[in-house]
């Protein structure tokens, strides 16, 4: 069970290792949203996404003897890079299991961060069995992407920063919009806000067609996505909310917000022009909701987390070509 | 005469108003440079460049009665936006004198930040006479872009942050590469380092063909650029080093570094991919020097200031198209 004490402890372990990201704003974005917009750019975190926080939290909490045998993770994306880099900085090995059809750049980046990448064939191989075999043979510890209290606690450290930084800008009452996949970042921030800034409330943001958490919050039980691919917002597409994250989010979050892929791309172009940051489509859904769903948000300020920036140049160029003013 | 006391005083006035930008890094950039590369992203500053610091420093130091009459500046670029926004946040008016052929986006942005934009014809009108007339008629105070001690002191506040942040990462001995136009940012940072981190040394970075400061440092006297246009690095093109800034830079700076426009664009593409920040060509020359002039730099770490991010989407797309991996 994740608690504020675990988040505070994770913050202690992350100090001097994870980056304290700033809280950005622009009067031009305020004008579009009709209220103050504060953006927490986790794209500026090590490895380009918030995932480094949870990975560091989990790896740093391991017993040194256990950690020395190495860690293992399943991921084709941001979690892979976060775990690979956290392991490298701890001086231990990391095995990352990726589908053989993952983008070459992501495979190369994960290898360049020092991890051993093991590829498997989605059609013919059982990923979990492969991972279990490797873990047993080598004594590796599995680092789960979201349904793991230490990982949730690590993601929650960004929430502690939001609490301080929002108060520093005079914001004590606002919705905090968080891009939501499995729900680890959402749950971690929600727990931090519950304890330290009860006037701030988390609301998950998702892309159309992949709004499992919004629908789950409405129905009160875990709902699945019909599709699992075909979105530019790949970084935050998961089959369904996590078994550990969802009860937290059900208890603490306000209603989910849903935006289109084009709105995410437009938010990316605005973040380029007005904040000078690079956001990936999945990482832009919360900013898109802040800008383009003003009627679904109350209050004179809104906070949006930009959760990651690992986007192909081609996709980014398309966003600029279509939506830059 | 700018001093460390003026910089400290400016830091006090900027606290809670200017953004404390982080210090970023990526193991991928370290590999290219062959040493640790730390990047100070002033593109994340308000209005997208370090210019907000100097503008705030100057505007905030005015006697309230004088300030209430408003300020005036000449600029078609980053200084215009910095002064406009600093004035707006102080609740006073700003007049910005811009050439009538300035890019429409820059004119629109400056107006949107609340300034009154006065256009003049480069061929037929005398900019300085026009400015003097307006200043006299309305009692406006001129905010110079670099040759002004209060502005230099404001830019120097980024140097104080570099001192603290570099020490926090264990870096006490390094070259600090700074994109250099008129030399205000360079001089401000150099003064801050002289007083607070003598192991850090500023070196100006410039684009080929516009290396007036590098040549002036070599000859020991102010040298002029032959051309004043035709570079994508427009943000840092000035006729010659300033009369106030150059003596400071001559006393404190190491040799200048010069990079090509293509190298600046390549650095922009790498900053996109590895740091998730948007840099303009002129703001990327220091990072380009850090990455592509390893033989001209000593030590196991280098610090590069990314001075601004106000780049047209079209230019940024070109940088990605040509140089993104």
């Amino acid at each position: 069970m994740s608690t504020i004490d675990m988040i505070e402890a994770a913050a202690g372990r992350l100090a001097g290792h994870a980056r304290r990201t700033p809280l950005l704003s622009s009067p031009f974005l305020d004008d579009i949203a009709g209220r103050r917009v504060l953006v927490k750019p986790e794209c500026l975190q090590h490895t380009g996404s918030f995932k480094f926080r949870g990975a560091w939290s989990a790896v740093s909490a391991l017993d040194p003897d256990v950690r020395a045998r190495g860690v293992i993770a399943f991921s084709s994306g941001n979690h892979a890079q976060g775990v690979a880099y956290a392991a490298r900085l701890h001086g231990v090995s990391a095995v990352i299991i990726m589908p053989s059809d993952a983008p070459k750049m992501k495979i190369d980046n994960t290898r360049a961060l020092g991890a051993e990448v093991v590829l498997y064939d989605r059609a013919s191989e059982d990923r979990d069995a492969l991972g279990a075999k490797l873990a047993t043979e080598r004594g590796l510890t599995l680092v789960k992407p979201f349904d793991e209290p230490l990982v949730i606690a690590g993601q929650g450290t960004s929430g502690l920063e939001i609490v301080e930084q929002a108060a520093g800008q005079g914001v004590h009452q606002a919705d905090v919009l968080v891009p939501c996949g499995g729900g680890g970042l959402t749950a971690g921030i929600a727990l931090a806000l519950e304890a330290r800034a009860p006037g701030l409330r988390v609301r998950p943001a998702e892309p159309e067609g992949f709004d499992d958490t919004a629908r789950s919050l409405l129905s009160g039980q875990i709902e699945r996505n019909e599709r699992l691919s075909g979105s530019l917002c790949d970084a935050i597409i998961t089959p369904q909310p996590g078994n550990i994250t969802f009860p937290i989010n059900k208890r603490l979050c306000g209603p989910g917000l849903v935006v289109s892929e084009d709105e995410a791309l437009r938010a990316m172009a605005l973040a380029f022009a007005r904040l000078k940051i690079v956001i990936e489509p999945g990482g832009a859904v919360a900013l898109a909701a802040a800008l383009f769903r003003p009627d679904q948000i109350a209050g004179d300020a809104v906070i949006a987390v930009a959760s990651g920036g690992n986007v192909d140049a081609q996709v980014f160029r398309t966003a600029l070509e279509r939506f830059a003013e």
Side-chain angles (χ1 to χ4, degrees), chain A residues 103-323:
Chain A
K104 183 171 176 305
M105 193 182 73
K106 291 190 174 175
I107 295 173
D108 290 347
N109 280 349
T110 307
R111 280 201 179 117
L113 289 169
E116 176 187 348
V117 174
V118 175
L119 300 174
Y120 74 99
D121 183 89
R122 281 189 212 250
S124 66
E125 288 185 276
D126 179 342
R127 185 190 76 164
D128 292 336
L130 177 63
K133 180 165 172 288
L134 283 168
T136 306
E137 283 174 5
R138 306 201 201 168
L140 306 172
T141 302
L142 176 66
V143 181
K144 293 185 189 175
F146 52 85
D147 242 0
E148 157 58 49
L150 283 166
V151 170
I152 294 170
Q155 320 306 26
T157 61
S158 64
L160 295 180
E161 294 175 11
I162 289 171
V163 169
E164 272 183 45
Q165 293 167 325
Q169 300 204 22
V171 174
H172 301 276
Q173 200 85 29
D175 281 353
V176 179
L177 315 187
V178 182
C180 187
L185 179 63
T186 306
I189 295 176
L191 289 166
L193 301 187
E194 178 193 26
R196 299 283 178 262
L200 303 181
R201 175 182 68 158
V202 165
R203 296 180 63 185
E206 294 169 297
E208 280 173 12
F210 304 91
D211 58 344
D212 51 311
T213 293
R215 288 185 288 107
S216 300
L217 289 173
L218 270 178
S219 74
Q221 63 189 25
I222 287 179
E223 308 284 349
R224 293 180 61 84
N225 286 319
E226 284 184 17
R227 290 183 296 145
L228 283 178
S229 61
S231 172
L232 282 176
C233 301
D234 59 316
I236 62 165
I237 304 302
T238 45
Q240 60 183 55
N243 290 319
I244 296 179
T245 55
F246 182 63
I248 299 169
N249 293 332
K250 183 178 168 184
R251 183 168 68 82
L252 296 174
C253 291
L257 292 154
V258 181
V259 300
S260 70
E261 207 168 271
D262 275 4
E263 287 171 322
L265 293 173
R266 190 165 166 224
M268 289 164 61
L270 285 162
F272 159 84
R274 301 309 184 185
L275 301 175
K276 317 303 176 189
I277 58 173
V278 175
I279 320 182
E280 63 194 61
V285 295
L287 177 59
L291 296 173
F292 309 129
R293 293 289 180 278
D295 297 344
Q296 297 180 30
I297 299 167
D300 53 10
V302 63
I303 299 169
V305 176
S307 54
N310 292 315
V311 54
D312 288 342
Q314 177 59 50
V315 172
F316 199 78
R317 282 167 49 203
T318 300
L320 294 188
E321 193 170 355
R322 290 186 53 202
F323 295 108

